Amino acid sequence: MENKKKLEINTVICDIRSLTEETLSMYEKLEINAACLVTTPAAQAMLGRFPVKIDAANTLTLTLEENPRFTQFNGRMKIVPGTAVPEEKTYLMVNGSLDIEAGSEETLKGYAAIFANGSVTCPKSIAGLLGGILTVNGSLRTYPDGCIRLKDTAILDRFFHLRVKQNALYYAHKRVVALDPGISFHKLAEKDIRFSTQKLLVSEDLAEAAVSLFDEQTDIVVLPEGCAYVDGDAELDETLIKRYGNRLYVAGDLTAGAKAAGVLDQVSFLRVDGDLLVARELKERVLEMDVEYGGLYIVGGTIVSGWANQTLSAYMLENAEGGLSAVACAHIAIDADVAPEVLREKLVSIIGCAEVTCASKEQMDVIKLLACDASSITLAQQESKDGDEKDTDVVEINTTHYAF
């Protein structure tokens, strides 16, 4: 009896409307990985009678006679007033962010459907028009109609009141930062300026004049005079103090490693929007400070972060002064030469790593005690001796558009 092969299709758009039982019976199994699956009710019913696995972000059901036109865009796409209207009904696939500006209603009428694998941003009035055509695998962000959009984080300066338009609403998706002592909220009020945002970070001396310009949904955080805003992740060291001073608001994660030992006493105020990663020898000193944070994690003197796929060896661990921590890595493998005793002594923590693979059960027992926010902790599987032979039993198709 002839051995049947497995058919694996990896594509952006997979059209199975013409798929037949004869084609399906040729393969042991059919696996489809697609951003969009184009199908019919009859094709869907037929799949249930065969070994088929489908992983599709979106499903589009059409008749066999329809001839859809697909347009794909990768990255950041904008639909603005004046954008050419598609001459025929088009299915738009956006792999990234989609920004739809006010006045784009006529352009939207040219799309039969929009599939967005990412975020979509639009005015509130347009969001109501998207209900019948938009599918979002991500977030839908709306902003007030008629507003003037600022950056997601808008940092005001002393000249902002000179640039604003009379009686305008200014919108920032995440936050408005108002820490510059030269900001004049009184002059902004005279021009009937209003703000819409999720959070306001404002200096204590400016707070009273500022709050009336923000709506009641805004989360208001009052910071001491002289506090500096640090945008994103940062490391607490002498360079950070020299640039920003000793009163800090960090909008990301802050790492207080070995370099922080000499500057901790200089910090008089510290707020961390994200997580605070502290070297284990500095933990007690940090907890005695005026500090607030999202989460507290203890790390070693050596920190490895952002690895896609890396192996921790005995050599790396034994030569890590102050111990080692792995932070925000996609996959970490523990080498077979690492004894459980070395792991306990030198590996301080594994934080926010998606997958950790251990070479032995003894290693796994140690890792389970040290790992925080790890999606998967598994034992390494030995490679199959006939692995190369098994690969020949798979017919793999990789393309952007595949139709049966």
Side-chain angles (χ1 to χ4, degrees):
M1 181 178 179
E2 181 183 0
N3 289 330
K4 294 182 179 180
K5 296 184 177 183
K6 169 187 171 183
L7 176 60
E8 181 178 322
I9 300 172
N10 302 301
T11 183
V12 177
I13 299 167
C14 186
D15 190 339
I16 67 168
R17 291 178 297 161
S18 298
L19 182 62
T20 64
E21 293 190 7
E22 182 181 2
T23 299
L24 282 171
S25 62
M26 294 170 56
Y27 298 97
E28 178 186 5
K29 182 179 181 181
L30 170 63
E31 184 173 322
I32 298 174
N33 301 299
C36 181
L37 180 73
V38 184
T39 184
T40 65
Q44 290 287 83
M46 180 178 59
L47 293 178
R49 300 193 294 272
F50 292 88
V52 177
K53 178 183 178 182
I54 297 178
D55 184 5
N58 307 285
T59 299
L60 180 62
T61 303
L62 302 175
T63 65
L64 190 60
E65 293 74 23
E66 289 183 83
N67 186 26
R69 177 176 180 267
F70 287 95
T71 299
Q72 182 184 348
F73 190 92
N74 298 318
R76 183 176 182 180
M77 180 180 180
K78 276 192 174 185
I79 297 178
V80 301
T83 300
V85 180
E87 295 181 358
E88 55 184 309
K89 285 292 185 179
T90 299
Y91 295 87
L92 173 63
M93 172 77 65
V94 180
N95 298 307
S97 62
L98 175 61
D99 193 333
I100 306 172
E101 292 190 0
S104 303
E105 290 84 352
E106 287 302 314
T107 302
L108 291 174
K109 291 178 182 178
Y111 293 106
I114 298 175
F115 304 105
N117 297 310
S119 63
V120 176
T121 304
C122 67
K124 289 182 179 178
S125 60
I126 284 186
L129 303 176
L130 295 173
I133 65 171
L134 177 67
T135 301
V136 184
N137 293 312
S139 61
L140 175 61
R141 295 166 27 175
T142 62
Y143 54 85
D145 288 87
C147 71
I148 298 175
R149 294 169 65 188
L150 302 171
K151 293 181 178 179
D152 284 356
T153 293
I155 303 176
L156 306 188
D157 57 31
R158 66 190 66 195
F159 304 111
F160 185 75
H161 70 276
L162 300 175
R163 307 192 299 271
V164 297
K165 295 182 179 180
Q166 185 77 26
N167 192 30
L169 172 64
Y170 284 84
Y171 169 81
H173 174 66
K174 289 184 178 179
R175 61 179 75 88
V176 170
V177 181
L179 300 177
D180 189 327
I183 298 172
S184 177
F185 281 105
H186 293 293
K187 292 181 179 179
L188 291 172
E190 290 173 0
K191 292 187 175 183
D192 294 323
I193 300 303
R194 294 159 294 125
F195 292 92
S196 175
T197 190
Q198 296 182 47
K199 180 181 289 187
L200 167 64
L201 305 177
V202 61
S203 180
E204 188 173 8
D205 57 324
L206 301 174
E208 187 173 350
V211 292
S212 62
L213 305 186
F214 291 78
D215 58 43
E216 59 273 12
Q217 284 82 30
T218 302
D219 179 17
I220 298 176
V221 179
V222 179
L223 301 173
E225 295 180 41
C227 185
Y229 175 80
V230 181
D231 192 10
D233 299 341
E235 182 176 1
L236 183 59
D237 56 15
E238 188 175 351
T239 301
L240 190 73
I241 298 300
K242 284 183 177 180
R243 180 177 179 183
Y244 293 102
N246 60 359
R247 296 179 179 182
L248 302 169
Y249 184 100
V250 181
D253 297 335
L254 180 67
T255 301
K259 296 179 182 179
V263 299
L264 280 180
D265 294 338
Q266 300 177 44
V267 179
S268 61
F269 179 87
L270 181 61
R271 296 293 181 268
V272 182
D273 231 8
D275 296 326
L276 180 59
L277 285 70
V278 181
R280 55 183 171 185
E281 65 269 21
L282 300 178
K283 177 182 176 181
E284 297 305 321
R285 289 179 61 187
V286 169
L287 294 179
E288 293 173 357
M289 297 168 55
D290 180 9
V291 57
E292 293 180 7
Y293 43 81
L296 179 67
Y297 296 96
I298 306 304
V299 295
T302 300
I303 300 174
V304 295
S305 63
W307 284 350
N309 191 357
Q310 187 59 271
T311 299
L312 291 183
S313 65
Y315 179 83
M316 292 173 63
L317 290 166
E318 289 168 356
N319 287 275
E321 186 176 351
L324 184 144
S325 290
V327 179
C329 298
H331 177 249
I332 294 291
I334 311 301
D335 204 346
D337 69 349
V338 179
E341 295 77 16
V342 174
L343 278 181
R344 282 191 290 267
E345 178 185 355
K346 303 294 288 188
L347 185 61
V348 178
S349 54
I350 293 180
I351 303 166
C353 296
E355 184 179 5
V356 183
T357 303
C358 304
S360 67
K361 185 179 182 303
E362 291 75 18
Q363 288 182 353
M364 181 182 287
D365 291 339
V366 177
I367 294 299
K368 286 181 178 179
L369 298 175
L370 299 175
C372 302
D373 302 328
S375 302
S376 172
I377 301 174
T378 60
L379 279 174
Q381 296 181 355
Q382 292 185 348
E383 295 183 4
S384 174
K385 293 182 180 179
D386 58 349
D388 293 338
E389 181 182 338
K390 287 187 176 180
D391 289 342
T392 63
D393 291 337
V394 178
V395 177
E396 186 174 352
I397 298 174
N398 299 296
T399 184
T400 56
H401 191 158
Y402 186 83
F404 285 91

